[in-house]
Amino acid sequence: MLKALENCGQVEIYHSFTPQPLRFICSAFNFFTLHLFKIRFDYRHSRIMRKSLGKYYSKYLEQKAYDFAVVSGSTSIAAGIKTNVPVIYINDRSLEGAMNYHKVLTQLFGFSYRQSIETDRLAIAKSALTIFSSSWAADAAIKNNPAKASQIKMFPFGANLESIPPAPPVKSF
């Protein structure tokens, strides 16, 4: 995707940012509640993480006149950024479709479940275009965000290869 975007024009990449000590505190809270009470805190999609990441990345979008912003793989960033630039949000799953399927999205505190769903819905609501890599993810997002159905698309990611490698030699037995 990056190479395709670079063929269209200038691309600036803002690498991953982990807000510390916030992540450590949230991770420690999750660790203790999981081991003591068998209940998880999905801090990656929590309101506090969404706001922290949103604030961090929003300042970059204010510095220049961008045509659009692509947020790939981070629901919290897509939900948290504040910008007038159109956002294209890309992910391989909708949180609502993945709840109680992925282990880290099971046995959540009620407040954590609600915040994760809120973050997922905000990411889709704020995006001019939302792209998922599978039909089940796109279908789950459309089911839970019908007002945004026309802006939710499925586009398979495919292999992340420069060229197709040669076939391995056939083994004879």
Side-chain angles (χ1 to χ4, degrees), residues 118-173:
E118 177 184 40
T119 298
D120 192 53
R121 289 183 180 177
L122 276 172
I124 293 167
K126 286 184 168 188
S127 300
L129 175 65
T130 302
I131 300 171
F132 291 103
S133 61
S134 67
S135 294
W136 76 263
D139 292 345
I142 290 168
K143 177 185 172 194
N144 296 303
N145 303 276
K148 295 291 280 190
S150 66
Q151 294 162 289
I152 297 172
K153 306 294 180 193
M154 190 281 289
F155 187 81
F157 292 169
N160 204 9
L161 304 170
E162 293 278 335
S163 61
I164 299 172
V170 177
K171 294 181 182 179
S172 58
F173 295 95

Side-chain angles (χ1 to χ4, degrees), residues 20-133:
Q20 293 294 358
L22 178 61
R23 184 185 183 280
F24 174 79
I25 293 166
C26 290
S27 179
F29 177 74
N30 180 57
F31 177 84
F32 288 115
T33 60
L34 183 58
H35 287 83
L36 292 174
F37 308 113
K38 307 291 187 232
I39 300 176
R40 295 178 194 278
F41 171 50
D42 180 21
Y43 61 89
R44 291 170 193 87
H45 305 109
S46 65
R47 185 176 297 128
I48 192 169
M49 191 65 72
R50 174 179 76 223
K51 288 183 178 201
S52 179
L53 289 168
K55 183 177 179 181
Y56 179 82
Y57 287 103
S58 293
K59 74 178 179 184
Y60 286 107
L61 294 175
E62 292 172 359
Q63 293 174 1
K64 291 185 179 179
Y66 293 103
D67 294 325
F68 59 90
V70 176
V71 178
S72 180
S74 179
T75 308
S76 291
I77 294 171
I81 57 175
K82 292 180 180 169
T83 182
N84 292 325
V85 175
V87 174
I88 300 171
Y89 169 52
I90 302 172
N91 213 323
D92 63 352
R93 54 95 185 106
S94 160
L95 279 174
E96 285 191 86
M99 285 295 182
N100 297 312
Y101 176 78
H102 291 292
K103 188 173 184 172
V104 297
L105 298 173
T106 62
Q107 300 171 289
L108 295 176
F109 281 102
F111 79 90
S112 183
Y113 180 91
R114 289 186 297 277
Q115 285 184 17
S116 296
I117 298 300
E118 177 184 40
T119 298
D120 192 53
R121 289 183 180 177
L122 276 172
I124 293 167
K126 286 184 168 188
S127 300
L129 175 65
T130 302
I131 300 171
F132 291 103
S133 61

